Amino acid sequence: MTTPQTSHDDMTMRERMQAGLPYRGETTANETNNSADLTHRTSAEAARMTERYHRLDLEEDPAALTLLGELLGSMGRDVRIRAPLQVDYGYNIHIGDRLFANFGLTVLDVCEVRIGDDVQIGPNVQLLCPTHPLNPVDRRRGWEGGLPITIEDNVWLGGGAIILAGVTVGHDSVVGAGSVVTQDIPPYSVAVGSPARVIKTVDPEERSGQYAVENFPRAYREQVAAESHGPGDTRTTTGEELV
């Protein structure tokens, strides 16, 4: 028995956009709906919301955080995004707990953008979901598309990094400043360059240079030593081990 194929012909351009199908961008701006569904917010409305957010954030008004929660699809606790922030729609962006994003974050969220917990984002980072056809005829006729982006937990995106459509950056990874990420980055990776390439794997116990363990306060050195011993480790920590 053949399973009937679902037709996309009856979908609106906005529905096609969110489904990752080809759509015409100028048409989505003209599609209206009388419901309170956030997915019918226009990009112009999102721009006005981000402009208000900028003013409130500069004034250190607590209402800025409330407005940010209204702009985004979902938002966790202790989120800090420094103005200016630019988005396409906002409602496709889902943020976990304790995000810090520095000045100038741009998120073109024609598809879902999911950002995990404890993510650090440097200044002028771009998360770019939109795509365009290579076929010159289709492109000339205004067709475009998009693919989702995922930034997993505890990722650091260096200043000026660009994450392209369809990319997942694995947890505990670092993307170097100015890098252009065109393919998925595995967890515990350091990726740099354009296009970005993985140059090393992160050792969760490595601390060197500026962040060598001896440069931390004693209380933190004791915490690190206790964690490295583990619950089944009966060794005691001497003063020499904490130097």
Side-chain angles (χ1 to χ4, degrees):
M1 181 177 178
T2 303
T3 303
Q5 297 296 311
T6 302
S7 172
H8 302 130
D9 294 342
D10 295 330
M11 298 173 71
T12 66
M13 288 296 173
R14 187 173 292 259
E15 288 169 341
R16 295 181 65 86
M17 177 186 78
Q18 293 183 281
L21 295 168
Y23 70 94
R24 290 181 188 242
E26 75 278 4
T27 309
T28 64
N30 297 324
E31 289 174 350
T32 59
N33 188 290
N34 293 325
S35 74
D37 185 355
L38 290 181
T39 62
H40 286 83
R41 177 192 297 151
T42 66
S43 57
E45 290 168 339
R48 289 191 288 271
M49 292 179 75
T50 57
E51 184 180 9
R52 292 202 304 275
Y53 174 71
H54 300 168
R55 293 197 304 267
L56 292 170
D57 185 64
L58 290 173
E59 294 166 2
E60 300 182 331
D61 190 324
L65 193 60
T66 301
L67 179 58
L68 186 61
E70 295 171 358
L71 173 68
L72 303 178
S74 62
M75 183 177 75
R77 299 168 297 165
D78 302 322
V79 169
R80 178 75 175 100
I81 300 178
R82 304 182 76 177
L85 164 69
Q86 304 294 338
V87 303
D88 256 338
Y89 300 100
Y91 56 74
N92 281 323
I93 303 170
H94 302 274
I95 292 174
D97 297 335
R98 297 174 298 278
L99 166 76
F100 176 79
N102 220 317
F103 305 111
L105 174 63
T106 296
V107 186
L108 301 189
D109 59 313
V110 299
C111 289
E112 276 198 346
V113 175
R114 293 198 169 269
I115 301 175
D117 297 339
D118 301 300
V119 171
Q120 301 277 330
I121 297 180
N124 298 316
V125 165
Q126 301 177 52
L127 309 180
L128 308 180
C129 289
T131 64
H132 297 275
L134 292 179
N135 184 288
V137 175
D138 297 340
R139 192 169 64 248
R140 187 181 302 116
R141 291 173 178 167
W143 290 99
E144 56 189 294
L147 294 169
I149 289 173
T150 300
I151 310 298
E152 294 183 349
D153 293 348
N154 201 31
V155 165
W156 172 22
L157 303 179
I162 300 174
I163 313 299
L164 296 186
V167 164
T168 293
V169 180
H171 62 82
D172 298 287
S173 290
V174 176
V175 175
S179 297
V180 179
V181 183
T182 62
Q183 298 180 350
D184 291 353
I185 302 298
Y188 293 107
S189 297
V190 177
V192 301
S194 178
R197 296 285 185 267
V198 175
I199 61 169
K200 69 176 292 185
T201 298
V202 175
D203 177 357
E205 296 188 3
E206 177 189 353
R207 293 177 176 84
S208 58
Q210 178 185 8
Y211 294 103
V213 69
E214 60 268 21
N215 291 336
F216 288 91
R218 182 181 182 87
Y220 188 68
R221 300 201 306 272
E222 291 174 346
Q223 178 184 344
V224 168
E227 291 169 347
S228 64
H229 289 174
D233 194 329
T234 58
R235 292 178 296 171
T236 58
T237 301
T238 67
E240 287 77 10
E241 289 174 308
L242 297 176
V243 173

